């Protein structure tokens, strides 16, 4: 039997990763469906989870929308007590947006559901398989974190952590 090429292995890894992501999304989808969030609102919450406090204009750029649309989106999330606005202490002309504890709890609750589902699946693996999964994922995570660290300073986002 012929040894798989590097490209074949890369394609297999990508397909496995995408398959895992799809399976996780389907597994926790019923809990997301009951929330009254639009896709844009959900994207905004995820971005704020990652970036912390951002200006409305930075959020608009991240969401690929205009500042007026981002302002409306932020107001909708404020109305649901998921985000809050505050004045930037360094420049009072800028308004920062960040998750409230309620918004953070919502996202962390979904992360917890994902963790629970993954744990359920992992308990079905043996020690050798678990070690292989840890080794492979650790390599990818370290590579991604190294690349992310190199790319983030040049992103030009106005953030305040």
């Amino acid at each position: 039997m012929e040894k798989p090429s590097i490209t074949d292995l890369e394609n297999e890894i990508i397909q496995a990763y995408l398959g895992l992501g799809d399976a996780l999304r389907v597994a926790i989808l019923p809990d997301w469906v009951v929330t009254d969030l639009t896709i844009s609102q959900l994207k905004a919450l995820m971005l704020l989870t990652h970036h912390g406090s951002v200006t409305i204009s930075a959020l608009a750029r991240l969401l690929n929308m205009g500042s007026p649309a981002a302002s409306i989106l932020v107001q909708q999330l404020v109305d649901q007590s998921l985000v809050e606005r505050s004045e930037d202490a360094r420049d009072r002309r800028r308004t920062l947006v960040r998750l409230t504890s309620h918004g953070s709890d919502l996202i962390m609750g979904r992360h917890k559901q994902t963790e629970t589902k993954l744990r359920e699946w992992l308990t079905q693996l043996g020690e050798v398989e678990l070690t292989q999964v840890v080794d492979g994922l650790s390599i990818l995570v370290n590579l991604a974190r190294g690349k992310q660290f190199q790319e983030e300073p040049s992103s030009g986002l106005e953030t305040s952590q």
Side-chain angles (χ1 to χ4, degrees):
M1 181 175 242
E2 197 174 309
K3 184 177 172 184
S5 71
I6 295 293
T7 302
D8 290 339
L9 291 171
E10 289 169 347
N11 289 336
E12 200 171 323
I13 290 166
I14 290 167
Q15 290 308 308
Y17 172 80
L18 293 174
L20 176 61
D22 288 344
L24 282 167
R25 281 186 291 280
V26 167
I28 67 168
L29 183 62
D31 295 311
W32 277 111
V33 171
V34 298
T35 62
D36 289 329
L37 295 173
T38 67
I39 295 297
S40 293
Q41 291 169 343
L42 181 58
K43 287 178 184 179
L45 294 176
M46 294 298 189
L47 288 167
L48 291 170
T49 299
H50 177 72
H51 290 287
S53 265
V54 297
T55 62
I56 292 177
S57 60
L59 185 62
R61 281 193 300 278
L62 287 166
L63 292 169
N64 198 27
M65 63 174 52
S67 289
S71 289
I72 292 168
L73 178 69
V74 166
Q75 184 58 50
Q76 293 166 343
L77 293 170
V78 166
D79 291 345
Q80 296 180 61
S81 301
L82 297 171
V83 302
E84 61 188 6
R85 291 187 190 100
S86 62
E87 192 176 85
D88 186 343
R90 293 177 291 173
D91 184 348
R92 292 185 309 170
R93 295 170 296 177
R94 296 177 357 146
T95 300
L96 296 173
V97 180
R98 68 181 177 101
L99 291 176
T100 61
S101 60
H102 178 60
S104 183
D105 289 348
L106 177 72
I107 298 301
M108 291 305 115
R110 298 314 186 252
H111 287 177
K112 188 68 174 166
Q113 290 171 325
T114 300
E115 180 184 332
T116 300
K117 184 52 71 177
L118 272 173
R119 192 170 304 283
E120 177 186 315
W121 293 340
L122 291 172
T123 61
Q124 300 174 44
L125 300 178
E127 186 177 344
V128 171
E129 294 167 313
L130 288 169
T131 302
Q132 291 171 336
V133 171
V134 167
D135 290 346
L137 288 176
S138 294
I139 291 167
L140 280 174
V141 167
N142 289 336
L143 177 65
R145 284 186 178 154
K147 293 285 185 199
Q148 183 181 21
F149 181 73
Q150 293 170 358
E151 294 169 5
E152 277 194 16
S154 64
S155 68
L157 290 180
E158 306 161 33
T159 62
S160 173
Q161 295 276 357

